Amino acid sequence: MTETAPRPTLEAVAERAGVSRATVSRVVNGAHGVREALAERVRRAVEELGYVPNQAARSLVTRRHDAVAVVAAEPETRVFADPYFAQQLRGISKELTAHDSQLVLLLTEGREDHARVGRYLAGGHVDGALVFSLHLHDPLPGLVRSAGVPTVFGGRPDWEDGRDDVVYVDSDNRGGARAAVRHLAGLGRTRIAHITGPLDQTSAADRLAGFREVRPGADAGLIARGDFTSGGGERAMRELLDRCPDLDAVFAANDLTAAGALRVLRERGRRVPDDVAVVGFDDMLPVAEQTDPPLTTVRQDIEEMGRLMARLLLRGLDRGAAADGREDSPETSETAETSETSGASRTSQDSGAPASTASGVILPTTLVHRATA
């Protein structure tokens, strides 16, 4: 039986680098204040020896777990089938990976799942949480609040208690909807219908509001409720055609909804865009470029939304660590004489850049012209 070689220790790294154990600890734990030449010697020794920090011991020093919970308020069948979630998770994963932090995915489908997620978050397993796809009356915000973990939300929350002290990242859903409907009206379409998303989500409610801002006198029969799925788009499109056979345009609340609507229009013998023009929302390339014909849609940068959620959370954690004094004065004479101070982050207000509110960031949307409108 082959004996396993002992794991390299912090002391072994210190000896190899010719520095103190305290300096190695500071470099390994990401603390500031070590001169770059010394830090490079430590990193080289770590690589040569194959040293892997003990996560439990590291957490005692940094009070960080280097893990973030990503909570999707949707059943797993929806999360793994909808490319929207794949793009958002990709953005989150890229940002966390760049900061050597782990993604812990938590899905909720029922009341038991909510309780499980609440217990996990309160158990001190993660540094913070990213929560998205919230529905009205969802208990998740209360559970996260009770757990006391730093949180960033994907999408503008709709708090019944009027709270505005949350951090969130969202897209300009109203502005994107207005652009879509104005484009259809500019094509000379007069009977413009809208297939909504689930109206217990602020993104869908905001897109409906944008539609109504451009078409304030629209016939109520031209609005049909969907659920952000292609099946929901099919059902809503059949309902609209039965109710309003003379409609000549459709603004669908997302690309999957539009894809379902296009299938029904083809079944009913309606030519797109000749008879009925269609605009979606999202610009998810696996969907928008593969519909027949390719879909004109409103683009939101879904991956960037995920990346920005993670970035805001990590920045908040770093500021909290600095405020708690975890990156305090140097411990030995080998450290630098000055310490690094992090300035407050600012959001650019340039054209096309994210717009910041008191507690959130709104990313811009743009209309992408293809063949359906």
Side-chain angles (χ1 to χ4, degrees), residues 162-198:
R163 290 177 64 94
D164 60 358
D165 59 340
V166 295
V167 179
Y168 67 87
V169 178
D170 203 355
S171 290
D172 184 7
N173 292 297
R174 283 195 184 210
R178 290 194 298 267
V181 180
R182 285 171 181 157
H183 174 68
L184 291 168
L187 297 175
R189 308 298 167 128
T190 58
R191 297 282 286 168
I192 303 173
H194 177 43
I195 303 176
T196 76

Side-chain angles (χ1 to χ4, degrees), residues 2-238:
T2 304
E3 292 186 4
T4 303
R7 292 176 57 178
T9 63
L10 209 64
E11 289 77 8
V13 175
E15 184 178 352
R16 174 69 66 94
V19 299
S20 73
R21 185 185 187 281
T23 296
V24 173
S25 177
R26 291 179 67 80
V27 173
V28 168
N29 291 321
H32 299 298
V34 179
R35 292 199 304 272
E36 181 55 32
L38 294 179
E40 180 56 33
R41 276 160 52 187
V42 171
R43 288 192 288 266
R44 189 163 55 247
V46 165
E47 184 176 350
E48 290 171 355
L49 294 175
Y51 172 76
V52 178
N54 182 299
Q55 183 59 38
R58 186 173 187 271
S59 294
L60 289 174
V61 175
T62 65
R63 285 183 266 171
R64 292 274 286 269
H65 302 276
D66 292 332
V68 170
V70 177
V71 188
E74 298 287 353
E76 63 180 43
T77 50
R78 173 86 192 281
V79 171
F80 293 122
D82 190 333
Y84 175 92
F85 296 108
Q87 289 188 35
Q88 195 161 47
L89 286 170
R90 185 183 304 121
I92 292 171
S93 179
K94 284 182 178 179
E95 191 68 21
L96 293 181
T97 298
H99 290 82
D100 200 23
S101 193
Q102 302 302 312
L103 184 158
V104 180
L105 181 60
L106 305 174
L107 306 178
T108 62
E109 192 158 4
R111 188 174 300 276
E112 298 79 8
D113 291 322
H114 287 121
R116 170 180 54 82
V117 168
R119 289 193 302 271
Y120 184 84
L121 294 177
H125 304 289
V126 294
D127 299 317
L130 303 172
V131 182
F132 58 85
S133 202
L134 286 173
H135 296 259
L136 189 64
H137 307 305
D138 200 309
L140 275 175
L143 291 171
V144 173
R145 195 179 307 160
S146 297
V149 294
T151 305
V152 175
F153 292 91
R156 178 180 59 81
D158 187 10
W159 307 119
E160 288 189 335
D161 58 5
R163 290 177 64 94
D164 60 358
D165 59 340
V166 295
V167 179
Y168 67 87
V169 178
D170 203 355
S171 290
D172 184 7
N173 292 297
R174 283 195 184 210
R178 290 194 298 267
V181 180
R182 285 171 181 157
H183 174 68
L184 291 168
L187 297 175
R189 308 298 167 128
T190 58
R191 297 282 286 168
I192 303 173
H194 177 43
I195 303 176
T196 76
L199 295 177
D200 63 346
Q201 291 189 288
T202 56
S203 57
D206 286 348
R207 291 169 200 179
L208 173 59
F211 171 84
R212 284 176 165 156
E213 285 168 8
V214 180
R215 310 291 287 182
D219 183 347
L222 286 168
I223 299 173
R225 184 157 182 168
D227 58 5
F228 281 158
T229 69
S230 59
E234 290 180 1
R235 290 189 295 273
M237 193 70 251
R238 291 191 181 98

